[in-house]
Amino acid sequence: MRTSTHQHTPPISPRLSIYRWRLTMLSSICHRASGMLLLLLIPALIWLLLTMSHNMVDFVYAMTWLHSPLGKLLVWLTCTSLLYHILNGIRFLCLDMGYGESRVMMRLSAKLVWLATLALAIVLAVAL
Amino acid sequence: MNKEHDLGAAHTGFHDWYWQRISAVALLLFLPALFGIFLAVYFGKVNYFTLNQWLTHPSGKILCSILLLSLAMHLWTGLKVIIEDYIHFAAGRVILLNLILLLLIFIGGYAAYVIWAEVSYNFLCVACTHLSMVWGEI
C-alpha cells in the first residue's frame, strides 16, 4: 500500500531487516565485509612486503613477527578473506557479463564459492 | 539493460560502476601474484636478496605502481558504494567520503614514494632501532 508521503522518501538500498536471509544474499554481504577487512589488512601487508624488500634487519624482524601466533592469525585471516573476495568477485564479474544469472545458477555458484573458501581455509590453517 | 531514467544527483554512478570492474580485473591479475610472492617469502622459499632484486627492479616497480593505482581505485569505488548505502545522513556522508579520499591520496602518495625512492626505511619502532644499533646497518 503506497501513500503519497511514502513515495517521496528515497529508497534505502540494503533492506537487511526486511528480506529473508538466503545464501546469495549472505554472499553479497560477506563480499562487502571481506572487502572492508582487506581494506585494513592488504595495505598493511603490501607495506610489510616493501619494508622487507628494502632492509635486511626489517626483513628478519618482520619474518619473526609473522611467524608468531598473532602474525599467523593475521596471515590466515588475510588469505581466507582475500580468496573469498577474489572468488566471489569472479562470480560477480561473470554475472555482470550475463553468465549464470538464473536462480539455480546463482545459488549453485554461491555454494561453490563458499565450499572452495572453506576448503582452502582448512588447508591454510594446517599449513601456516 | 534498460535505459536509466534517473541519473542521480552527481551523474557519476555508471563511471563508478565501470571503473570498479576495470580495477577488479587489474587486481585479479596482479594481487594474487604479489600475494603468492608474500606466501613464498613466508614459507622461506624466497630469501631477502631475491625479494629485494624483484621489488627494486624497474619492471617490479612499474608492476607495483599499477597494482597500487588499481587498488586505490577499487578501494575508493567499493568504499563509496558501501558508505552511500549505509550512511543515510547526507552531510556526514560527504564529509566522511572527502576525508577518506584525502587519506587515500596521502597513503597512495607515501606508498608510491616507498616504491620509487631508493631508501632503506625503518619500521619506526623501538625494537628495530635497537636491533639496528646492535647489528649495525647490513
Side-chain angles (χ1 to χ4, degrees):
Chain A
M1 203 162 69
R2 274 170 180 263
T3 58
S4 59
T5 49
H6 188 233
Q7 279 177 334
H8 287 294
T9 51
I12 297 163
S13 69
R15 298 167 193 249
L16 297 182
S17 51
I18 297 170
Y19 292 140
R20 192 152 63 92
W21 281 84
R22 303 216 69 123
L23 193 66
T24 43
M25 181 183 173
L26 190 70
S27 286
S28 297
I29 296 298
C30 284
H31 194 76
R32 290 190 163 183
S34 63
M36 287 296 280
L37 191 69
L38 288 170
L39 175 81
L40 301 171
L41 292 175
I42 287 286
L45 283 177
I46 287 177
W47 175 60
L48 200 62
L49 195 65
L50 288 167
T51 314
M52 286 165 84
S53 71
H54 280 89
N55 189 329
M56 184 84 183
V57 176
D58 288 345
F59 181 85
V60 175
Y61 180 79
M63 279 294 271
T64 41
W65 186 80
L66 279 174
H67 285 271
S68 70
L70 187 69
K72 276 183 184 174
L73 182 71
L74 188 94
V75 173
W76 180 82
L77 205 63
T78 314
C79 282
T80 311
S81 48
L82 181 66
L83 186 90
Y84 177 77
H85 203 81
I86 284 176
L87 288 178
N88 208 40
I90 294 170
R91 177 171 168 261
F92 279 161
L93 283 176
C94 289
L95 287 172
D96 286 336
M97 287 187 290
Y99 298 113
E101 279 182 317
S102 70
R103 186 180 295 179
V104 181
M105 279 301 288
M106 287 271 283
R107 287 179 188 168
L108 182 70
S109 56
K111 250 179 228 170
L112 282 177
V113 166
W114 277 112
L115 282 176
T117 311
L118 199 68
L120 201 105
I122 293 168
V123 168
L124 275 172
V126 175
L128 286 178
Chain B
M1 239 177 161
N2 295 325
K3 199 179 184 313
E4 65 272 60
H5 298 291
D6 185 4
L7 286 168
H11 293 223
T12 59
F14 176 71
H15 288 105
D16 288 352
W17 184 89
Y18 181 73
W19 282 107
Q20 190 171 27
R21 267 70 188 171
I22 296 283
S23 58
V25 173
L27 285 177
L28 206 56
L29 297 173
F30 290 117
L31 203 55
L34 189 78
F35 211 74
I37 293 174
F38 175 78
L39 280 181
V41 171
Y42 179 86
F43 286 114
K45 307 281 185 225
V46 172
N47 64 12
Y48 169 73
F49 298 103
T50 320
L51 184 70
N52 190 6
Q53 225 166 20
W54 286 350
L55 291 193
T56 51
H57 191 268
S59 57
K61 286 182 176 184
I62 288 168
L63 290 178
C64 274
S65 306
I66 296 171
L67 178 81
L68 184 72
L69 200 68
S70 45
L71 193 68
M73 199 186 282
H74 200 72
L75 228 139
W76 169 242
T77 47
L79 216 65
K80 193 160 174 268
V81 167
I82 291 177
I83 286 172
E84 282 170 351
D85 272 355
Y86 293 104
I87 296 177
H88 303 133
F89 173 56
R93 191 167 62 214
V94 170
I95 291 168
L96 192 64
L97 276 173
N98 277 293
L99 281 177
I100 287 170
L101 187 60
L102 278 176
L103 203 68
L104 260 179
I105 291 169
F106 274 118
I107 293 173
Y110 176 68
Y113 168 75
V114 168
I115 291 171
W116 287 99
E118 291 285 346
V119 288
S120 80
Y121 78 111
N122 295 302
F123 264 123
L124 295 177
C125 71
V126 179
C128 305
T129 326
H130 181 69
L131 272 178
S132 307
M133 281 196 302
V134 172
W135 292 359
E137 204 65 40
I138 300 172

